[in-house]
Amino acid sequence: DGVTAPDVDDNIVQWVPWDNAGFAYADVLMDPINGHTEHGQAYITSVFAFLGRADARTLLRSMEDLDDKKDPKKTSAYYRHSLPFLNAAPGCDIDPQLFAQQMASGVEDALSIDELTDAASLRMSQDYVREVVAHEVGHVLGLRHNFAGSLEGTINRADLDDWFRAYILGKPLDAYTNKIPSSSVMDYNVFKAGVFIGWRMRTVKEALPYDIAAIRWGYFDSPEVREKKMLFGTDQDAGKYGDVRRFDYGTDPVVNAYAENAHYMEMLPNTIIETFIRARAPRNPHDRIPLEQVNLSYTAFANQIADHLAELLSWFRAETRSLSVEKQFDFIGDLNRKERYQAHWKALTNQIEQLGGIDRAVFSFMPLDLKLELKDKPVGVPVAERLSASNLTARLEKLLASTNYSTFVGLDDKKYSFTKDEQELIIKRSKKCFRELEKEVIRQVCLRFTNAPRNLDVEANGSVSDNDIVANLEKRMVDFAKQVVLAKDDSKRIKGTMDKAFVEVPEFKYDFATRLAAAHMLSANNGSFKGWADSARGDLNEDLKKEVDAALNLEHFKDFKPSMLSRPLLEWYQQQQEIISQLPAPQPPH
């Protein structure tokens, strides 16, 4: 910041016909001596233009195709604002996959609204383009990215959803003119927030507060941006602070992670139907895929759900930094480390309470019967309901019968509808996917718990507590692990012989890998203190041993040897022994 703007004649905004590019950027030419901008050019691709509902679905397909081609080695966007010797440098170069993911999610939300008209789609496109152009022109004026802008928003997620629906329906929006989803157009705003900002730009003539203050500071030396401690986090800060993120939303990162999970699970039936539409009605009929060949990756779905949980759990680590929390300190260093940990702890506790406690914040979406104590539902965010294959299937069936999906326009601009047989296939395949998803989510959650250190309370308070949020989290983790390790599938039995006698043993509900992951999550090394799960591991060790002994009737054998078991029983027995080995009983004191 702090450069001089070029003459108006030296600024160019160029519209580039490129429907699957998925990005916009700005080139900035600077004087290497004084840092003044000599020329600026913003490029906006036609991917942002969708003139009707059919175009919106085309855009969704383009974004999904772009996300499918992602390079695992490229995980984030990079930023270069100026290079010496009058070289042009991109002031905004976005990770296309990250952009595609958030835009696909926003467009899918819009397409899920039955009342979405071509006129509403066009208006939505125009307002989104308005926000994107403003972002790129901001770079030309010398502004850097500010990914902390969303931390100073004044409209919560539920209200933004309400606004978006009213906006699409063409209802009055006067109640929202004094709200902002971000303090800066230089943020990477999620799709709905971008549309909101574009709408606000043509409704309210005043720019966003951080952008006003930054321009006044850069061009007129106004100290407002510093005096008010306005939040600013740019590209290099995105990996430094846990709440400085591209395409996030909301002022509270823990609440945001919970809300993202709730929204993702709610939209799963829509996502699956759109996947079948993609196969049924491509732009070129030669690209059509028989619906029975459509792949539904429950592993990918479970990964997304578990990753949102991991983001929430990351805030229990003392090492996770928050820009919004650190804003209250004059300096960051060893002398105030304790005070900073205490401030982080207070922010975490407040957010968990805002969500209704640990049970709702962390465990309410899990497909297990954990006897949760759920307080009042959180306000301002969608509620994460328990993941249920039957409920998801019922919603998918209802959506298939709705006007939104009973007839749809394909990428070739022709109208289509699923036949009765096709609908039955979609329902059957989805039902199987959702059933497998329930189990895969449990496995992925176990892995995330295993890699989720919880040392913030000790660093902040000097010791552990019997009844704070970490204590409650770890108590519920113990319940979770016990249920996963011990739950049996009463409808299935494993048959074999033992010393030539016929034997049946129970088959456990979750597969060996999941149960082993559940045992690992009780490791002594990742909890609030080393002995946090000693008793739980010992109890689970004893319980599983009893299950094995009872199933094989080992009390009647004086000299039992695994070699006495036939192959199916031997595999079952060895798996239980491996799990037991991960659950050592507490050693008696010397």
Side-chain angles (χ1 to χ4, degrees), residues 96-278:
Q97 280 76 39
L98 193 62
F99 171 84
Q101 288 172 1
Q102 67 83 30
M103 192 165 194
S105 176
V107 173
E108 193 170 84
D109 281 355
L111 287 170
S112 71
I113 299 175
D114 286 352
E115 297 86 354
L116 178 67
T117 62
D118 287 348
S121 296
L122 175 60
R123 183 171 65 250
M124 183 167 56
S125 172
Q126 291 170 332
D127 284 334
Y128 191 60
V129 167
R130 186 175 286 107
E131 187 259 357
V132 172
V133 171
H135 178 103
E136 301 307 337
V137 170
H139 282 306
V140 174
L141 293 176
L143 296 181
R144 301 180 67 187
H145 287 139
N146 182 9
F147 301 133
S150 57
L151 297 174
E152 295 189 312
T154 60
I155 180 171
N156 64 38
R157 184 180 292 267
D159 288 344
L160 182 63
D161 289 343
D162 290 343
W163 171 87
F164 191 62
R165 185 170 189 84
Y167 169 89
I168 285 178
L169 297 179
K171 293 183 178 181
L173 303 172
D174 295 345
Y176 299 95
T177 54
N178 63 340
K179 301 285 188 180
I180 56 171
S182 174
S183 66
S184 177
V185 75
M186 303 311 297
D187 202 348
Y188 278 173
N189 293 294
V190 296
F191 181 78
K192 287 182 185 178
V195 176
F196 186 105
I197 291 172
W199 162 79
R200 188 180 182 277
M201 287 172 63
R202 65 178 170 86
T203 306
V204 179
K205 300 307 178 184
E206 187 178 56
L208 294 170
Y210 171 82
D211 300 333
I212 294 173
I215 290 293
R216 287 175 176 169
W217 174 68
Y219 291 94
F220 304 107
D221 292 326
S222 169
E224 176 188 6
V225 67
R226 288 180 173 174
E227 290 176 349
K228 292 184 177 180
K229 292 187 175 182
M230 301 181 79
L231 292 179
F232 172 73
T234 192
D235 294 72
Q236 62 265 31
D237 298 313
K240 183 178 179 181
Y241 299 99
D243 53 357
V244 177
R245 301 170 63 89
R246 301 171 177 89
F247 297 117
D248 63 349
Y249 187 76
T251 58
D252 300 308
V254 175
V255 175
N256 179 60
Y258 170 89
E260 286 289 339
N261 223 3
H263 178 261
Y264 182 81
M265 290 187 293
E266 182 183 5
M267 291 298 295
L268 270 177
N270 301 76
T271 301
I272 286 179
I273 294 175
E274 291 290 349
T275 301
F276 281 100
I277 290 177
R278 181 182 181 181

Side-chain angles (χ1 to χ4, degrees), residues 387-399:
L387 185 65
S388 164
S390 58
N391 290 346
L392 288 171
T393 303
R395 280 174 41 209
L396 182 137
E397 291 183 35
K398 185 176 180 180
L399 284 171

Side-chain angles (χ1 to χ4, degrees), residues 364-540:
S364 60
F365 75 90
M366 297 181 189
L368 285 178
D369 187 13
L370 291 172
K371 310 299 182 186
L372 302 179
E373 297 179 7
L374 299 179
K375 301 179 182 178
D376 294 338
K377 293 182 178 181
V379 177
V381 294
V383 176
E385 303 290 354
R386 179 176 174 176
L387 185 65
S388 164
S390 58
N391 290 346
L392 288 171
T393 303
R395 280 174 41 209
L396 182 137
E397 291 183 35
K398 185 176 180 180
L399 284 171
L400 274 177
S402 69
T403 56
N404 197 11
Y405 291 113
S406 58
T407 303
F408 53 90
V409 178
L411 299 190
D412 55 2
D413 292 331
K414 296 180 180 178
K415 285 189 176 182
Y416 291 87
S417 60
F418 291 121
T419 66
K420 183 178 180 181
D421 287 344
E422 287 174 334
Q423 289 182 0
E424 289 177 354
L425 184 149
I426 292 171
I427 293 169
K428 180 180 178 180
R429 185 71 59 79
S430 300
K431 184 183 295 185
K432 182 177 181 181
C433 175
F434 292 144
R435 284 200 303 264
E436 295 299 324
L437 177 64
E438 284 190 1
K439 296 178 182 179
E440 182 63 18
V441 162
I442 296 299
R443 188 181 75 86
Q444 293 288 347
V445 163
C446 289
L447 296 175
R448 301 311 190 276
F449 275 137
T450 301
N451 297 295
R454 302 171 293 280
N455 60 335
L456 178 58
D457 62 333
V458 174
E459 295 291 346
N461 305 316
S463 63
V464 297
S465 167
D466 276 331
N467 198 34
D468 61 13
I469 56 174
V470 170
N472 293 334
L473 171 64
E474 293 185 337
K475 290 173 185 174
R476 193 61 76 192
M477 284 175 61
V478 168
D479 296 340
F480 180 96
K482 286 183 176 179
Q483 189 167 146
V484 173
V485 170
L486 298 175
K488 293 189 286 292
D489 186 342
D490 294 329
S491 65
K492 297 180 181 179
R493 307 285 289 181
I494 297 175
K495 301 177 182 179
T497 60
M498 179 177 176
D499 197 22
K500 299 182 180 181
F502 178 77
V503 176
E504 286 187 0
V505 296
E507 187 164 327
F508 288 92
K509 180 176 181 179
Y510 297 100
D511 63 27
F512 172 65
T514 301
R515 296 172 63 231
L516 191 61
H520 284 157
M521 66 182 262
L522 299 181
S523 165
N525 298 322
N526 68 346
S528 55
F529 65 102
K530 195 168 183 65
W532 75 279
D534 281 356
S535 296
R537 289 199 304 273
D539 292 344
L540 194 47

